[in-house]
Amino acid sequence: VQLQASGGGLVQAGGSLRLSCANSRRTFSNNGVGWFRQAPGKEREFVATIDWRGGTTYYTDSVKGRFTIARDNAKNTVTLEMNNLKPEDTAVYYCAAARRPTATRDQGEYQYWGQGTQVTVSS
C-alpha cells in the first residue's frame, strides 16, 4: 500500500484547504484511514480517522466542527476538509492506513503512511 497525501499549501487564518489521500497501487477500501500532523518541534499527533465504510469518524478536540474526514472507496481516496483554519493548525499532515477496518486514534495501529503534505496558516 503506497499512500500519497496532497492538497497542502499556504492559507490565511480563517481559510480552507482540502487534503486528499490516495493509493494508486492498491485499494485501501478495507482499511481504516487516519490523518495525523506534526508541527515543528512537536510529536506527531492524531487529527481524524474514518472506518472502512465511512460510517464512523473520530476527531481530536481541537478540530471538531472545523475539519471533516470522508472517503470514496470507488475512487480509493480519503479527504480531509479543513475550514476556519488557525495558525496552530500549521504542520505537516500525514495520512495512514490502519491494519484493521475500524477507525482508530492509535498511531500504533497504522501500518502504511504517506509522505506528508505541508499546511501553513498565516495569522
Side-chain angles (χ1 to χ4, degrees), residues 11-102:
V11 64
Q12 289 187 332
S16 299
L17 284 173
R18 187 181 191 188
L19 305 185
S20 291
C21 179
N23 179 10
S24 60
R25 301 184 70 179
R26 181 177 169 182
T27 181
F28 57 9
S29 60
N30 295 322
N31 302 85
V33 173
W35 284 97
F36 298 82
R37 65 187 180 187
Q38 187 168 21
K42 295 186 177 181
E43 294 187 351
R44 188 169 60 194
E45 64 173 358
F46 164 76
V47 177
T49 181
I50 189 167
D51 73 341
W52 71 284
R53 288 186 294 185
T56 300
T57 58
Y58 301 123
Y59 299 90
T60 192
D61 287 345
S62 63
V63 309
K64 285 181 181 177
R66 300 188 298 121
F67 290 13
T68 302
I69 188 171
R71 70 188 300 160
D72 184 340
N73 287 338
K75 296 181 179 180
N76 215 28
T77 58
V78 173
T79 57
L80 184 68
E81 188 79 33
M82 306 187 295
N83 297 314
N84 191 21
L85 283 161
K86 303 176 181 180
E88 50 264 43
D89 294 319
T90 296
V92 177
Y93 283 70
Y94 300 89
C95 64
R99 294 181 177 85
R100 303 178 183 180
T102 53

Side-chain angles (χ1 to χ4, degrees), residues 96-120:
R99 294 181 177 85
R100 303 178 183 180
T102 53
T104 175
R105 300 175 179 88
D106 184 354
Q107 292 192 44
E109 289 295 317
Y110 287 86
Q111 187 173 12
Y112 306 104
W113 293 81
Q115 83 286 5
T117 185
Q118 176 70 48
V119 171
T120 303

